[in-house]
Amino acid sequence: SSKLGPDYVLRPLHLSDYKAGVLEVLKDLTTVGDISEERFIEQFEYMRARQGEYFVIIIEKIATGKVVGVGTLLVERKFIHECGLVGHIEDIAVAKSEQGKKLGIKIISALDFIGKKVGCYKNILDCSPHNEQFYVKCGYSNAGFEMTKRF
Amino acid sequence: SSKLGPDYVLRPLHLSDYKAGVLEVLKDLTTVGDISEERFIEQFEYMRARQGEYFVIIIEKIATGKVVGVGTLLVERKFIHECGLVGHIEDIAVAKSEQGKKLGIKIISALDFIGKKVGCYKNILDCSPHNEQFYVKCGYSNAGFEMTKRF
Ligand SMILES: CC(=O)N[C@@H]1[C@@H](O)[C@H](O)[C@@H](COP(=O)(O)O)O[C@@H]1O
Ligand SMILES: CC(=O)N[C@@H]1[C@@H](O)[C@H](O)[C@@H](COP(=O)(O)O)O[C@@H]1O
């Protein structure tokens, strides 16, 4: 896409992105752990089987063929809002070496485009307070607190 | 369940809960709008077809046969945390006339029980600051902000 510049391509996750380093990019966000290629494929197929539910996109750096950014939209169906749809933006990460190039904002706008297109009445996401300003730049507003219970 | 007392039963959502008032209870949380019984059934079947993904539970008041509480757990599959699962607690509501009877906390603990049992590494939810203390009583901690973009 022209907005992304000639050095990068934004596209859906492929099976081959296991080797292109998608999990290494996610390690910048949080714990990933050891995931075999077989387990990766299994989870990928789970998501792919759920048409219209999971949208995982990546940014590839053309020169290296490596994944440098990733993000997911999970579309939830509700009863409220006339059986409305809500898009959950999850697991946004950009490789450290590629930060400051506005790749994160490109991922969010692609996921916003998808959310709108599939009919979500809103997209939501959770973030730490120090990432709030990034999401404000993406057009998001603070809507309250995330609460969590770990098992 | 004994914890719930003899006047209420906690169980999965049934198709017949359309007539037992589940949507009226949700109106206490937010906009519900007009939902025909046909549309309700369609959304119910969408969720039911997704084994292990959507768990919608209700509390019924035995004396009236009416739904007085409702809550949903949506189980998300991720790559992070060794292809981990996260439970999203959504659309928690208790009928105004039944508030102050600890029914909300019963709904949350049932959804926590399910989340743990299906293997989620955590449950999360979004709430307004004025509901934070309720979720702290349920064993939840503040983990950051919810950001939203409406379409
Ligand atoms: C917008 C965004 O990317 N938010 C992520 C969320 O999607 C992810 O699931 C979580 C993992 O945190 P954890 O490792 O502490 O569970 O971190 C952030 O909240
Ligand atoms: C724990 C809980 O029940 N949180 C709910 C959330 O599940 C629901 O989707 C939202 C609807 O708000 P809206 O009508 O403004 O979209 O309200 C609250 O955040």
Side-chain angles (χ1 to χ4, degrees):
Chain A
S1 124
S2 67
K3 280 195 220 153
L4 204 56
D7 297 337
Y8 302 94
V9 59
L10 187 153
R11 57 163 174 78
L13 181 72
H14 293 168
L15 273 180
S16 59
D17 290 323
Y18 181 81
K19 291 201 171 89
V22 65
L23 299 180
E24 284 63 39
V25 176
L26 283 168
K27 280 176 187 161
D28 200 61
L29 175 71
T30 189
T31 311
V32 175
D34 278 333
I35 302 174
S36 66
E37 188 163 6
E38 201 176 22
R39 187 73 190 89
F40 176 80
I41 292 172
E42 195 185 351
Q43 198 75 321
F44 180 93
E45 295 297 354
Y46 176 93
M47 294 174 186
R48 176 151 72 181
R50 279 154 187 79
Q51 278 272 324
E53 265 191 274
Y54 286 91
F55 298 89
V56 189
I57 62 170
I58 62 99
I59 293 180
E60 179 188 326
K61 186 167 188 167
I62 294 167
T64 60
K66 287 283 173 197
V67 173
V68 296
V70 60
T72 296
L73 186 76
L74 168 62
V75 176
E76 176 201 1
R77 297 199 175 224
K78 291 180 168 290
F79 290 111
I80 61 170
H81 291 270
E82 301 194 337
C83 293
L85 277 59
V86 169
H88 295 254
I89 289 193
E90 299 285 342
D91 305 335
I92 301 300
V94 172
K96 270 221 174 67
S97 59
E98 301 288 332
Q99 287 177 4
K101 298 178 181 177
K102 301 201 192 306
L103 299 181
I105 207 163
K106 301 283 164 38
I107 295 170
I108 300 301
S109 36
L111 297 176
D112 286 345
F113 179 84
I114 296 168
K116 216 165 159 171
K117 201 174 148 182
V118 302
C120 295
Y121 74 89
K122 65 176 181 183
N123 272 358
I124 62 173
L125 60 88
D126 295 316
C127 69
S128 65
H130 95 267
N131 284 327
E132 182 185 18
Q133 282 316 306
F134 167 70
Y135 290 109
V136 167
K137 273 184 218 150
C138 295
Y140 278 72
S141 319
N142 191 314
F145 292 151
E146 180 200 6
M147 306 294 290
T148 182
K149 182 189 271 183
R150 304 214 172 231
F151 299 129
Chain B
S1 124
S2 68
K3 281 195 218 151
L4 203 57
D7 297 337
Y8 301 93
V9 59
L10 187 153
R11 58 164 174 78
L13 181 73
H14 293 167
L15 272 181
S16 59
D17 290 323
Y18 181 82
K19 291 201 169 91
V22 65
L23 299 180
E24 283 64 40
V25 176
L26 283 168
K27 280 177 187 159
D28 200 60
L29 175 70
T30 189
T31 311
V32 176
D34 278 332
I35 301 173
S36 67
E37 187 163 7
E38 202 176 20
R39 186 73 190 91
F40 176 79
I41 292 172
E42 196 185 349
Q43 198 75 322
F44 180 93
E45 296 297 354
Y46 177 93
M47 294 173 186
R48 176 150 71 180
R50 278 154 189 81
Q51 278 272 323
E53 265 192 273
Y54 286 93
F55 298 89
V56 189
I57 62 170
I58 63 98
I59 293 180
E60 178 187 327
K61 185 168 189 166
I62 294 166
T64 60
K66 286 282 173 199
V67 174
V68 296
V70 61
T72 295
L73 185 76
L74 167 63
V75 176
E76 176 201 2
R77 296 197 178 226
K78 290 180 170 289
F79 290 112
I80 62 170
H81 292 269
E82 302 194 336
C83 294
L85 278 59
V86 168
H88 294 255
I89 290 194
E90 299 285 341
D91 303 336
I92 301 300
V94 172
K96 270 223 174 66
S97 59
E98 301 289 332
Q99 287 176 6
K101 297 178 180 175
K102 301 202 191 313
L103 300 181
I105 208 164
K106 302 283 165 38
I107 295 170
I108 300 302
S109 38
L111 297 175
D112 286 345
F113 179 84
I114 296 169
K116 217 166 159 172
K117 200 173 147 182
V118 302
C120 295
Y121 74 90
K122 67 176 180 183
N123 272 358
I124 61 173
L125 61 88
D126 295 316
C127 69
S128 66
H130 96 266
N131 285 327
E132 182 185 18
Q133 281 317 305
F134 167 71
Y135 290 110
V136 167
K137 272 185 219 149
C138 295
Y140 278 72
S141 318
N142 192 315
F145 292 152
E146 180 199 7
M147 306 294 292
T148 182
K149 183 189 269 183
R150 306 214 171 231
F151 300 128

